[in-house]
Amino acid sequence: MSRRLLALGVLALLLAAPPAYADKARKEAKAQVEFGISVAQKGLWREAIFRWKKAVEIDPSYAAAWNNLAIAYEHEGQFDSARDAYEKALKLDPTNNFIRTNYDFFKEINDRANRDTTR
């Protein structure tokens, strides 16, 4: 009986581990996002992209990091990548009005530019 209780205790610890890991991953990803913001404000967009890509590698569920990455891709003229990143951000956080507004502006400008070049 005590082995079974011990096994259940170990299982409970294993089940409790993912949130601790998730918290650590989010903390590391936030550090990358914050650094990315600081370098983007200095005009170092390629470094910002590197940092935000790192953030979404660490925590793929971090919608704000995907949004920032989309903005950076858009700034650098990588419009397909920007659209993909915005869509990932919205899929992760569909009720986030900030992300929705950024994506809507992106689509409006990008779609208008595409219409103008096809005329």
Side-chain angles (χ1 to χ4, degrees), residues 81-103:
S81 295
R83 183 179 301 275
D84 291 344
Y86 278 126
E87 289 173 356
K88 287 177 186 171
L90 278 173
K91 185 176 181 181
L92 291 167
D93 193 357
T95 62
N96 186 311
N97 288 327
F98 185 69
I99 295 171
R100 169 65 57 198
T101 299
N102 287 342
Y103 185 47

Side-chain angles (χ1 to χ4, degrees), residues 107-117:
K107 286 191 310 184
E108 181 180 327
I109 292 167
N110 194 46
D111 291 349
R112 186 180 313 140
N114 286 337
R115 278 194 309 269
D116 291 346
T117 59

Side-chain angles (χ1 to χ4, degrees), residues 23-113:
D23 289 343
K24 182 180 178 197
R26 179 57 57 99
K27 185 176 179 180
E28 290 176 22
K30 278 186 175 186
Q32 293 295 324
V33 166
E34 289 170 10
F35 191 82
I37 291 169
S38 71
V39 296
Q41 290 171 336
K42 296 173 184 168
L44 303 171
W45 287 96
R46 289 195 328 214
E47 179 66 22
I49 287 172
F50 175 81
R51 296 299 171 169
W52 292 327
K53 283 173 76 174
K54 190 82 163 157
V56 299
E57 288 171 9
I58 294 167
D59 184 356
S61 69
Y62 194 5
W66 283 107
N67 178 70
N68 290 358
L69 185 57
I71 291 167
Y73 281 142
E74 184 177 358
H75 183 274
E76 293 298 291
Q78 299 177 34
F79 301 119
D80 291 338
S81 295
R83 183 179 301 275
D84 291 344
Y86 278 126
E87 289 173 356
K88 287 177 186 171
L90 278 173
K91 185 176 181 181
L92 291 167
D93 193 357
T95 62
N96 186 311
N97 288 327
F98 185 69
I99 295 171
R100 169 65 57 198
T101 299
N102 287 342
Y103 185 47
D104 287 344
F105 281 136
F106 166 78
K107 286 191 310 184
E108 181 180 327
I109 292 167
N110 194 46
D111 291 349
R112 186 180 313 140

